[in-house]
Amino acid sequence: MRKIREIHRAGEHHWVGDGFPVRSIFSYDGLGRELSPFLLLDHAGPAKFAPTDHQRGVGEHPHRGFETVTIVYEGELEHRDSAGNGGRIGPGDVQWMTAASGILHEEYHSPDFARSGGTMEMAQLWVNLPARSKMAPPGYQTLLHRDIPAVKLDADAGVLRVVAGDYQQHHGPARTFTPINVWDLRLNAGGSVVLPLPDGHTAALVVLQGIVRVNDAENANVDEVVVFEQGNGEVGVATEAGAKVLLLSGEPLNEPIVGHGPFVMNTTEEIRQAFVDFQRGRLGRPAA
Ligand code: MN
């Protein structure tokens, strides 16, 4: 079994714009090296919103140097960016946005969801780019629920969706810059599974709902992340009452991480440059 390094608990709730009540489950501030290439994971909701004419969300802001991966569990989001991409994603859909050299975007509840109200739940993962790709052109992938392989686990343990990477012979639809796995896992009550991971990958198990027992050794609760030692070995996950988790693994970049707000680069000079470029409109012009 892969050794558990630590179990890290999310910080307090905060609002991102007026649309997303979020807990940051991990960030590169404390776990940058241990979880490379993963930088950050925010869990928004589940939270109930009353019907409204006002579209809640977060207004236009820039990013550079990494990718944002938004997984919707409940509710519906709408996105627009300065590269001309946009779209609507609902339960089970994933938006994989490559900011790379720079982008401006906005993230809102969809007009239909705002009008009807309801429960919103999503996770947003930031995936770092290697230095050689940080200034690549921006990109955008909409990964619809129906295009994400859903693998039934043995003994009715639950379902594993392969968003990125490979599980057994199933290949996730996301195009990634470096080898990573993003598995969206639902375990039924009493379910248990042993997950093989590539040798040398960093690995983390994020609990979004329920309580899981990891490696038959330690329990992890909702909004906690189990950080594993780099190296080899599989990960065991079990639950008594059912659980929703994300399993992340990736080839570590082993490069310096220097971030400020919406920019994550390798040096302070590159961060300074990102602010200059943003102010001069080089990260893109507002979406029409
Ligand atoms: Mn953003």
Side-chain angles (χ1 to χ4, degrees):
M1 287 284 174
R2 185 75 75 108
K3 251 194 172 159
I4 297 171
R5 180 191 175 92
E6 63 181 287
I7 298 178
H8 178 80
R9 176 180 288 274
E12 292 302 303
H13 270 106
H14 63 275
W15 280 86
V16 175
D18 66 359
F20 308 105
V22 154
R23 295 186 82 187
S24 292
I25 300 185
F26 67 80
S27 116
Y28 61 91
D29 265 350
L31 291 165
R33 204 168 51 82
E34 291 76 8
L35 291 183
S36 173
F38 306 106
L39 290 168
L40 173 150
L41 191 131
D42 278 351
H43 184 202
K48 277 222 153 88
F49 290 90
T52 174
D53 294 331
H54 165 71
Q55 215 179 340
R56 287 168 170 268
V58 51
E60 194 166 80
H61 57 279
H63 289 295
R64 173 180 276 181
F66 60 99
E67 304 184 284
T68 66
V69 178
T70 307
I71 302 168
V72 179
Y73 291 98
E74 277 194 89
E76 195 176 59
L77 300 179
E78 198 177 68
H79 163 268
R80 278 199 308 180
D81 70 43
S82 54
N85 294 308
R88 203 177 266 209
I89 51 170
D93 299 338
V94 175
Q95 178 209 88
W96 198 291
M97 189 193 78
T98 305
S101 62
I103 209 161
L104 301 186
H105 78 158
E106 24 175 79
E107 301 161 88
Y108 283 104
H109 297 189
S110 76
D112 286 349
F113 177 81
R115 267 193 297 275
S116 65
T119 301
M120 171 74 69
E121 184 185 11
M122 59 155 212
Q124 188 172 81
L125 171 71
W126 289 14
V127 180
N128 206 359
L129 292 172
R132 65 174 181 279
S133 304
K134 280 184 176 291
M135 294 302 281
Y140 184 82
Q141 304 170 64
T142 298
L143 313 175
L144 295 175
H145 182 59
R146 62 170 180 267
D147 298 325
I148 298 172
V151 185
K152 278 213 167 101
L153 302 172
D154 288 346
D156 198 29
V159 173
L160 184 154
R161 296 200 316 144
V162 189
V163 177
D166 294 284
Y167 177 73
Q168 296 172 343
Q169 71 277 36
H170 307 277
H171 186 61
R175 292 185 306 277
T176 66
F177 283 74
T178 59
I180 68 175
N181 290 304
V182 176
W183 298 339
D184 171 23
L185 194 54
R186 269 158 216 268
L187 288 176
N188 297 328
S192 146
V193 63
V194 174
L195 302 169
L197 297 176
D199 290 350
H201 273 207
T202 57
L205 184 92
V206 177
V207 184
L208 298 175
Q209 190 181 68
I211 301 173
V212 295
R213 186 146 183 89
V214 184
N215 290 353
D216 211 10
E218 295 201 49
N219 288 346
N221 288 276
V222 67
D223 287 339
E224 291 183 342
V225 56
V226 182
V227 182
F228 296 92
E229 298 283 1
Q230 274 174 39
N232 306 337
E234 49 205 14
V235 163
V237 196
T239 177
E240 280 179 22
K244 181 164 75 183
V245 305
L246 284 171
L247 194 294
L248 311 173
S249 88
E251 196 176 278
L253 299 179
N254 296 321
E255 293 174 347
I257 302 172
V258 181
H260 193 101
F263 307 129
V264 182
M265 303 298 289
N266 301 112
T267 67
T268 49
E269 176 47 34
E270 289 169 342
I271 293 293
R272 249 196 308 274
Q273 190 62 49
F275 277 98
V276 169
D277 289 349
F278 171 49
Q279 279 153 14
R280 293 184 180 166
R282 290 179 189 149
L283 269 61
R285 297 290 179 187

